[in-house]
């Protein structure tokens, strides 16, 4: 380890590369942090206004559609940034092909979500809400512009679009509460948020002289799908093991219990953006290090792991100790039973953070099959444990089922690696 002298720190601080990543980390954290904090606190007002039952319906609809979101991108979200960095001369082809694939996937998700809802016999109102909410996936196709800005380490535009869309949708939700409107209107608010963010980012993208259109480069599309097919299954398994608990609670118990469960989960997951953003911002640096210096590459991976593990452990301890005060202050006495859910679920954050770093490492090493199989193990375990635990222990059993299924993933990755 080098000596941590003032001159050493000053030298590293003035390094152009450090300044570049530090500024972009600031933009990313500022926007994402503001968005999550604003959305979270407005979300608590929504939860208090709707009450556990209607809040449960809202979360059921969101979780149900989210399970099928993996089809909207065909798994290419994980490789767009990589390809834009590696194939700079094919920028337009990569962006347009990715946009076209994601647009096709978004339309596919809308139909599948509706058919699945009818197939498991959701009531007409819930199916209608699912159909409406699934429309927001169409706007996610425009997120290829965000991938472009990530590839050139320029988070400023993504951050500005997030600031504006968050403020707009927060004001809209408060207006809906003021007017005393129903659950369906909050679904429309979520669509408005997705559209606003995507269109603002598109505006910045076009202003820089870029263009985007529906254009499928057949050879490039084949290569993307060939490289990303493990991510299609990985995303499917990931979304299942992170959202299936809420869908199963909604179907096996009731939406009131789901509302209670969702409140605890919301607080437990609010800080997940921290490890996700650190990994996203540092990915270009990790990829570049692998190409130039293997020793530096390994060092950066280790430091990334230690940083994220330490942050996640500290936050989990805080949430466990102050769970009661957090629930009462944010959600009110109607959600008292959410306290135990938060105290259990908060520990999942440590495992989630470890998985994020492991995933970045495996992506860089092109060992995507390990990610796919590990997520399959997690998804299958979560489903089976929920089937066993929910009838016996209710929502507490579901929280434990999720924790146990999360823990298996890094264990499997370690054994396979």
């Amino acid at each position: 380890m080098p000596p941590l002298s003032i001159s050493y720190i000053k030298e590293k601080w003035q390094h152009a590369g450090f300044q570049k990543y530090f500024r972009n980390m600031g933009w990313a954290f500022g926007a994402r942090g503001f968005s999550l904090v604003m959305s979270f606190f407005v979300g608590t007002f929504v939860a208090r206004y709707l009450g556990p039952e209607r809040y449960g319906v809202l979360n059921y609809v969101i979780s149900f559609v989210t399970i099928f979101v993996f089809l909207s991108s065909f798994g290419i979200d994980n490789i767009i940034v990589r390809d834009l960095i590696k194939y700079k001369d094919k920028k337009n082809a990569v962006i347009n092909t990715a946009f076209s694939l994601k647009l096709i996937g978004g339309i596919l998700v809308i139909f599948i979500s509706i058919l699945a809802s009818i197939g498991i016999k959701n009531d007409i109102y819930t199916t209608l809400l699912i159909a409406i909410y699934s429309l927001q996936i169409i706007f996610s196709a425009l997120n290829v512009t965000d991938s472009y800005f990530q590839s050139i380490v320029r988070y400023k535009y993504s951050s500005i679009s997030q600031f504006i869309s968050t403020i707009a949708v927060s004001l809209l939700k408060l207006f809906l509460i003021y007017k005393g409107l129903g659950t369906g209107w909050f679904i429309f608010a979520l669509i408005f948020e997705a559209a606003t963010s995507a269109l603002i980012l598109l505006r910045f993208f076009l202003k820089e002289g870029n263009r985007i259109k529906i254009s499928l480069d057949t050879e490039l599309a084949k290569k993307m799908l060939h490289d990303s097919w493990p991510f299609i299954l990985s995303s499917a398994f990931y979304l299942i093991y992170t959202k299936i608990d809420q869908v199963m609670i909604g179907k096996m118990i009731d939406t009131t219990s789901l509302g209670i469960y969702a409140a605890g989960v919301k607080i437990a997951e609010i800080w997940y953006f921290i490890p996700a953003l650190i990994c996203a911002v540092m990915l270009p640096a990790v990829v570049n290090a692998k190409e130039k210096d293997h020793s530096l590459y390994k060092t950066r991976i280790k430091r990334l792991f230690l940083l994220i593990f330490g942050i996640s452990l500290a936050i989990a301890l805080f949430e466990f100790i102050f769970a009661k005060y957090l629930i009462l202050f944010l959600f009110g006495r109607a959600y008292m039973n959410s306290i135990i859910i938060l105290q259990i679920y908060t520990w999942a954050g440590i495992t989630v953070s470890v998985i994020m770093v492991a995933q970045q490492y495996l992506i860089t090493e092109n060992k995507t099959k390990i990610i796919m199989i590990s997520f399959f193990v997690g998804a299958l375990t979560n489903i089976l444990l929920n089937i066993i635990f929910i009838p016996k222990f209710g929502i507490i059993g579901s929280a434990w089922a999720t924790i146990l299924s999360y823990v298996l993933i890094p264990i499997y990755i370690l054994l396979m690696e």
Side-chain angles (χ1 to χ4, degrees):
M1 288 288 291
L4 294 178
S5 62
I6 294 176
S7 59
Y8 174 80
I9 295 173
K10 185 177 180 180
E11 177 188 349
K12 292 300 180 183
W13 174 262
Q14 293 176 343
H15 190 276
F18 177 82
Q19 286 288 325
K20 178 181 179 181
Y21 285 106
F22 182 81
R23 284 195 301 271
N24 281 280
M25 183 82 78
W27 273 107
F29 268 100
R32 188 60 176 161
F34 172 80
S35 177
L36 279 176
V37 170
M38 175 71 79
S39 298
F40 178 78
F41 280 106
V42 173
T44 61
F45 289 127
V46 172
R48 284 172 175 262
Y49 164 70
L50 293 176
E53 183 179 0
R54 291 195 294 168
Y55 186 60
V57 172
L58 180 65
N59 280 276
Y60 178 80
V61 169
I62 294 171
S63 298
F64 190 90
V65 174
T66 300
I67 286 176
F68 302 103
V69 164
F70 71 94
L71 292 170
S72 68
S73 67
F74 294 105
I76 63 174
D77 283 341
N78 297 280
I79 65 168
I80 296 174
V81 175
R82 185 199 69 183
D83 284 355
L84 285 170
I85 293 172
K86 291 178 69 175
Y87 310 116
K88 292 182 174 63
D89 57 322
K90 295 182 178 180
K91 179 192 73 174
N92 292 331
V94 170
I95 290 172
N96 291 331
T97 299
F99 172 66
S100 302
L101 288 173
K102 285 168 68 68
L103 194 60
I104 294 169
I107 295 170
L108 186 63
V109 169
I110 293 173
F111 285 105
I112 291 177
S113 297
I114 296 170
L115 291 174
S117 182
I118 295 171
I120 66 171
K121 298 180 180 179
N122 282 325
D123 59 77
I124 295 176
Y125 178 66
T126 302
T127 299
L128 178 61
L129 292 181
I130 286 171
I132 294 170
Y133 179 67
S134 64
L135 295 175
Q136 59 91 21
I137 297 174
I138 293 295
F139 293 101
S140 68
L142 290 171
N143 286 341
V144 294
T145 57
D146 187 29
S147 298
Y148 165 72
F149 287 123
Q150 286 184 44
S151 71
I152 59 175
V153 197
R154 193 180 300 168
Y155 282 78
K156 178 179 179 179
Y157 298 138
S158 302
S159 302
I160 292 173
S161 68
Q162 198 165 39
F163 272 123
I164 296 173
S165 62
T166 298
I167 292 172
V169 76
S170 296
L171 292 174
L172 177 58
K173 287 179 180 179
L174 293 175
F175 176 76
L176 296 177
I177 293 173
Y178 172 74
K179 285 292 185 179
L181 298 177
T183 308
W185 288 98
F186 291 93
I187 295 294
F188 279 112
L190 295 173
I191 298 174
F192 172 76
E193 180 179 22
T196 303
S197 178
L199 293 174
I200 292 173
L201 197 55
L202 176 62
R203 168 95 177 156
F204 285 125
F205 181 78
L206 298 176
K207 193 175 180 180
E208 287 210 341
N210 298 304
R211 292 290 179 266
I212 187 169
K213 61 181 179 178
I214 300 175
S215 175
L216 202 64
D217 183 316
T218 307
E219 291 301 316
L220 188 56
K222 286 180 181 178
K223 186 180 186 308
M224 280 185 171
L225 293 174
H226 178 269
D227 290 347
S228 68
W229 73 264
F231 288 112
I232 300 175
L233 295 177
S234 296
S235 297
F237 300 144
Y238 170 79
L239 293 172
I240 289 172
Y241 84 72
T242 56
K243 294 298 181 182
I244 196 65
D245 51 348
Q246 298 194 38
V247 174
M248 293 179 75
I249 289 171
K251 292 299 293 184
M252 296 175 70
I253 309 179
D254 53 49
T255 53
T256 300
S257 297
L258 175 54
I260 296 294
Y261 183 86
V265 172
K266 289 288 183 187
I267 299 177
E269 292 182 343
I270 187 175
W271 58 272
Y272 286 7
F273 79 96
I274 296 176
L277 274 179
I278 292 175
C279 286
V281 171
M282 295 306 299
L283 179 59
V286 172
V287 173
N288 289 331
K290 180 175 172 59
E291 298 296 326
K292 298 176 182 178
D293 186 337
H294 190 75
S295 176
L296 177 61
Y297 163 65
K298 290 290 186 181
T299 299
R300 286 182 175 177
I301 288 289
K302 289 178 183 177
R303 288 178 178 175
L304 182 61
F305 171 80
L306 291 173
L307 172 64
I308 289 179
F309 180 81
I311 291 172
S312 62
L313 177 61
I315 295 174
L317 283 169
F318 174 83
E319 288 186 339
F320 178 80
I321 294 170
F322 297 101
K324 178 180 177 180
Y325 305 101
L326 290 170
I327 292 293
L328 290 177
F329 175 72
L330 295 169
F331 289 91
R333 292 194 172 274
Y335 292 87
M336 279 288 289
N337 291 334
S338 300
I339 296 172
I340 184 64
I341 300 302
L342 174 56
Q343 289 180 320
I344 297 171
Y345 207 98
T346 187
W347 299 107
I350 298 175
T351 306
V352 169
S353 298
V354 171
I355 292 171
M356 287 181 187
V357 179
Q359 185 175 2
Q360 294 297 334
Y361 168 74
L362 293 172
I363 290 171
T364 307
E365 291 289 323
N366 201 28
K367 297 180 179 179
T368 53
K369 290 183 181 179
I370 296 179
I371 300 174
M372 177 187 68
I373 298 172
S374 66
F375 284 0
F376 169 74
V377 171
L380 181 62
T381 304
N382 204 356
I383 292 172
L384 293 175
L385 290 179
N386 269 290
I387 291 173
I388 297 170
F389 288 1
I390 288 177
K392 293 183 178 181
F393 309 110
I395 58 176
I396 293 176
S398 184
W400 279 113
T402 301
I403 290 286
L404 293 173
S405 65
Y406 279 21
V407 169
L408 283 179
I409 295 175
I411 292 175
Y412 178 82
I413 290 174
L414 184 62
L415 292 175
M416 291 297 293
E417 176 59 20

Coordinates of all heavy atoms in Angstrom, one line a residue, residues 96-138:
N96 N -28.8 2.0 -33.0 CA -30.0 1.8 -33.8 C -30.5 0.4 -33.7 O -31.7 0.1 -33.6 CB -29.8 2.2 -35.3 CG -29.7 3.7 -35.4 OD1 -30.2 4.5 -34.6 ND2 -29.0 4.1 -36.4
T97 N -29.6 -0.6 -33.8 CA -29.9 -2.0 -33.7 C -30.5 -2.3 -32.3 O -31.5 -3.0 -32.1 CB -28.7 -2.9 -34.0 OG1 -28.3 -2.6 -35.3 CG2 -29.0 -4.3 -33.8
A98 N -29.8 -1.8 -31.2 CA -30.2 -2.0 -29.9 C -31.6 -1.4 -29.7 O -32.5 -2.0 -29.0 CB -29.2 -1.4 -28.9
F99 N -31.8 -0.2 -30.2 CA -33.1 0.5 -30.1 C -34.2 -0.3 -30.8 O -35.3 -0.5 -30.2 CB -33.1 1.9 -30.7 CG -34.4 2.6 -30.9 CD1 -35.1 3.0 -29.7 CD2 -34.9 2.8 -32.1 CE1 -36.3 3.6 -29.9 CE2 -36.2 3.5 -32.2 CZ -36.9 3.9 -31.1
S100 N -34.0 -0.8 -31.9 CA -35.0 -1.6 -32.7 C -35.3 -2.9 -31.9 O -36.5 -3.3 -31.8 CB -34.4 -2.0 -34.1 OG -34.2 -0.8 -34.8
L101 N -34.3 -3.6 -31.4 CA -34.5 -4.8 -30.6 C -35.3 -4.6 -29.4 O -36.3 -5.3 -29.0 CB -33.2 -5.5 -30.3 CG -32.4 -6.1 -31.4 CD1 -31.0 -6.6 -30.9 CD2 -33.1 -7.3 -32.0
K102 N -35.0 -3.5 -28.7 CA -35.7 -3.2 -27.4 C -37.2 -2.7 -27.7 O -38.1 -3.0 -26.9 CB -35.0 -2.0 -26.7 CG -33.7 -2.5 -26.0 CD -32.8 -1.4 -25.5 CE -33.5 -0.6 -24.4 NZ -33.6 -1.4 -23.1
L103 N -37.4 -2.1 -28.8 CA -38.8 -1.7 -29.2 C -39.6 -3.0 -29.5 O -40.8 -3.0 -29.0 CB -38.7 -0.8 -30.5 CG -40.0 0.0 -30.8 CD1 -40.4 0.9 -29.6 CD2 -39.8 0.7 -32.1
I104 N -39.0 -3.9 -30.2 CA -39.7 -5.2 -30.5 C -40.0 -5.9 -29.1 O -41.1 -6.4 -28.9 CB -38.9 -6.1 -31.4 CG1 -38.8 -5.4 -32.8 CG2 -39.5 -7.5 -31.5 CD1 -37.8 -6.1 -33.7
G105 N -39.0 -5.9 -28.3 CA -39.2 -6.6 -27.0 C -40.3 -5.9 -26.1 O -41.0 -6.6 -25.4
G106 N -40.3 -4.6 -26.2 CA -41.3 -3.8 -25.4 C -42.8 -4.2 -25.8 O -43.6 -4.4 -24.9
I107 N -43.0 -4.3 -27.1 CA -44.3 -4.6 -27.6 C -44.6 -6.1 -27.2 O -45.8 -6.4 -26.8 CB -44.4 -4.5 -29.1 CG1 -44.2 -3.0 -29.5 CG2 -45.7 -5.0 -29.7 CD1 -44.0 -2.8 -31.0
L108 N -43.6 -6.9 -27.2 CA -43.8 -8.3 -26.8 C -44.3 -8.4 -25.3 O -45.2 -9.2 -25.0 CB -42.5 -9.1 -27.0 CG -42.6 -10.6 -26.8 CD1 -43.5 -11.3 -27.8 CD2 -41.1 -11.2 -26.9
V109 N -43.6 -7.6 -24.5 CA -43.9 -7.7 -23.1 C -45.4 -7.2 -22.8 O -46.1 -7.8 -21.9 CB -43.0 -6.8 -22.3 CG1 -43.4 -6.6 -20.8 CG2 -41.6 -7.4 -22.3
I110 N -45.9 -6.3 -23.5 CA -47.2 -5.8 -23.3 C -48.2 -6.9 -23.5 O -49.1 -7.2 -22.7 CB -47.6 -4.6 -24.3 CG1 -46.7 -3.4 -23.9 CG2 -49.1 -4.3 -24.2 CD1 -46.9 -2.3 -24.9
F111 N -48.1 -7.7 -24.6 CA -49.0 -8.8 -24.9 C -48.8 -9.9 -23.9 O -49.8 -10.5 -23.4 CB -48.8 -9.3 -26.3 CG -49.3 -8.4 -27.4 CD1 -48.5 -7.6 -28.1 CD2 -50.7 -8.3 -27.6 CE1 -49.0 -6.7 -29.1 CE2 -51.2 -7.4 -28.6 CZ -50.3 -6.7 -29.3
I112 N -47.6 -10.2 -23.5 CA -47.4 -11.4 -22.6 C -47.9 -11.0 -21.2 O -48.5 -11.9 -20.6 CB -45.9 -11.7 -22.5 CG1 -45.4 -12.3 -23.9 CG2 -45.6 -12.6 -21.4 CD1 -44.0 -12.6 -23.9
S113 N -47.7 -9.8 -20.8 CA -48.2 -9.4 -19.4 C -49.7 -9.5 -19.3 O -50.3 -10.1 -18.4 CB -47.8 -8.0 -19.1 OG -46.4 -7.8 -19.1
I114 N -50.4 -9.1 -20.4 CA -51.9 -9.2 -20.4 C -52.3 -10.6 -20.4 O -53.2 -11.0 -19.7 CB -52.4 -8.4 -21.6 CG1 -52.1 -6.9 -21.5 CG2 -54.0 -8.6 -21.7 CD1 -52.4 -6.1 -22.7
L115 N -51.7 -11.4 -21.3 CA -52.1 -12.8 -21.4 C -51.8 -13.6 -20.1 O -52.6 -14.4 -19.7 CB -51.4 -13.5 -22.6 CG -51.8 -13.0 -24.0 CD1 -50.9 -13.6 -25.1 CD2 -53.2 -13.4 -24.3
A116 N -50.7 -13.3 -19.5 CA -50.3 -14.0 -18.2 C -51.3 -13.6 -17.1 O -51.7 -14.4 -16.3 CB -48.9 -13.6 -17.8
S117 N -51.7 -12.3 -17.1 CA -52.7 -11.9 -16.1 C -54.0 -12.6 -16.3 O -54.7 -13.0 -15.3 CB -52.9 -10.4 -16.2 OG -53.8 -9.9 -15.2
I118 N -54.5 -12.7 -17.5 CA -55.7 -13.4 -17.8 C -55.5 -14.9 -17.4 O -56.4 -15.5 -16.9 CB -56.1 -13.3 -19.3 CG1 -56.4 -11.8 -19.6 CG2 -57.3 -14.2 -19.6 CD1 -56.6 -11.5 -21.0
G119 N -54.4 -15.5 -17.8 CA -54.1 -16.9 -17.5 C -54.2 -17.3 -16.1 O -54.6 -18.4 -15.7
I120 N -53.7 -16.4 -15.2 CA -53.7 -16.8 -13.7 C -55.0 -16.3 -13.0 O -55.1 -16.3 -11.8 CB -52.4 -16.3 -13.0 CG1 -52.4 -14.8 -13.0 CG2 -51.2 -16.8 -13.6 CD1 -51.3 -14.2 -12.1
K121 N -55.9 -15.7 -13.9 CA -57.2 -15.3 -13.4 C -57.2 -14.2 -12.4 O -57.9 -14.2 -11.4 CB -57.9 -16.5 -12.8 CG -58.2 -17.7 -13.8 CD -58.9 -18.9 -13.1 CE -59.1 -20.0 -14.2 NZ -59.8 -21.1 -13.6
N122 N -56.4 -13.1 -12.7 CA -56.5 -11.9 -12.0 C -57.9 -11.3 -12.4 O -58.4 -11.5 -13.4 CB -55.4 -10.9 -12.4 CG -54.1 -11.3 -11.7 OD1 -54.0 -11.7 -10.6 ND2 -53.0 -11.0 -12.5
D123 N -58.4 -10.5 -11.4 CA -59.7 -9.8 -11.7 C -59.5 -8.8 -12.9 O -58.4 -8.4 -13.2 CB -60.3 -9.2 -10.5 CG -59.3 -8.1 -9.9 OD1 -59.3 -7.0 -10.5 OD2 -58.6 -8.4 -8.9
I124 N -60.6 -8.4 -13.5 CA -60.6 -7.5 -14.6 C -59.9 -6.2 -14.3 O -59.1 -5.7 -15.1 CB -62.0 -7.2 -15.1 CG1 -62.7 -8.5 -15.6 CG2 -62.0 -6.2 -16.3 CD1 -64.1 -8.4 -16.0
Y125 N -60.1 -5.6 -13.2 CA -59.5 -4.3 -12.8 C -58.0 -4.4 -12.7 O -57.3 -3.6 -13.3 CB -60.1 -3.8 -11.5 CG -59.5 -2.6 -11.0 CD1 -59.7 -1.4 -11.6 CD2 -58.7 -2.5 -9.8 CE1 -59.1 -0.2 -11.2 CE2 -58.2 -1.4 -9.3 CZ -58.4 -0.2 -10.0 OH -57.8 1.0 -9.6
T126 N -57.5 -5.5 -12.1 CA -56.1 -5.7 -11.9 C -55.5 -5.9 -13.3 O -54.4 -5.4 -13.6 CB -55.8 -6.9 -11.0 OG1 -56.4 -6.7 -9.7 CG2 -54.3 -7.1 -10.9
T127 N -56.1 -6.7 -14.2 CA -55.6 -7.0 -15.5 C -55.5 -5.7 -16.3 O -54.6 -5.4 -17.1 CB -56.5 -8.0 -16.2 OG1 -56.5 -9.2 -15.5 CG2 -56.0 -8.3 -17.7
L128 N -56.5 -4.8 -16.1 CA -56.5 -3.5 -16.8 C -55.4 -2.7 -16.4 O -54.7 -2.0 -17.2 CB -57.9 -2.8 -16.6 CG -58.0 -1.4 -17.2 CD1 -57.9 -1.5 -18.7 CD2 -59.3 -0.8 -16.8
L129 N -55.1 -2.6 -15.1 CA -54.0 -1.9 -14.6 C -52.7 -2.4 -15.1 O -51.7 -1.7 -15.4 CB -54.0 -1.9 -13.0 CG -55.1 -1.1 -12.3 CD1 -55.0 -1.2 -10.8 CD2 -55.2 0.3 -12.8
I130 N -52.6 -3.7 -15.2 CA -51.4 -4.4 -15.7 C -51.1 -4.0 -17.2 O -50.0 -3.7 -17.6 CB -51.5 -5.9 -15.6 CG1 -51.3 -6.3 -14.1 CG2 -50.4 -6.6 -16.4 CD1 -51.6 -7.8 -13.8
A131 N -52.2 -4.0 -17.9 CA -52.1 -3.6 -19.3 C -51.7 -2.1 -19.5 O -50.8 -1.8 -20.3 CB -53.5 -3.8 -20.0
I132 N -52.2 -1.3 -18.6 CA -51.8 0.1 -18.7 C -50.4 0.3 -18.3 O -49.6 1.0 -19.0 CB -52.8 1.0 -17.8 CG1 -54.2 1.0 -18.3 CG2 -52.3 2.4 -17.7 CD1 -55.2 1.6 -17.4
Y133 N -50.0 -0.3 -17.2 CA -48.6 -0.1 -16.7 C -47.6 -0.6 -17.6 O -46.5 -0.1 -17.8 CB -48.4 -0.8 -15.3 CG -47.1 -0.6 -14.7 CD1 -46.6 0.6 -14.4 CD2 -46.2 -1.7 -14.6 CE1 -45.3 0.8 -13.9 CE2 -44.9 -1.6 -14.1 CZ -44.5 -0.3 -13.7 OH -43.2 -0.2 -13.2
S134 N -47.9 -1.7 -18.4 CA -46.9 -2.3 -19.3 C -46.6 -1.4 -20.4 O -45.5 -1.6 -21.1 CB -47.5 -3.7 -19.8 OG -48.6 -3.4 -20.6
L135 N -47.4 -0.4 -20.7 CA -47.1 0.6 -21.8 C -45.8 1.4 -21.6 O -45.2 1.8 -22.5 CB -48.3 1.5 -22.0 CG -49.6 0.9 -22.4 CD1 -50.7 1.9 -22.4 CD2 -49.5 0.2 -23.8
Q136 N -45.5 1.5 -20.3 CA -44.3 2.3 -20.0 C -43.0 1.7 -20.5 O -42.0 2.3 -20.7 CB -44.2 2.6 -18.5 CG -44.1 1.4 -17.6 CD -42.7 0.9 -17.3 OE1 -41.8 1.7 -17.4 NE2 -42.5 -0.3 -16.9
I137 N -43.1 0.4 -20.8 CA -41.9 -0.3 -21.2 C -41.5 0.1 -22.6 O -40.3 0.0 -23.0 CB -42.1 -1.9 -21.2 CG1 -42.4 -2.3 -19.8 CG2 -41.0 -2.6 -21.8 CD1 -42.8 -3.8 -19.6
I138 N -42.4 0.6 -23.4 CA -42.1 1.1 -24.8 C -41.1 2.2 -24.7 O -40.1 2.3 -25.5 CB -43.4 1.6 -25.5 CG1 -44.4 0.5 -25.7 CG2 -43.0 2.3 -26.7 CD1 -43.8 -0.6 -26.7

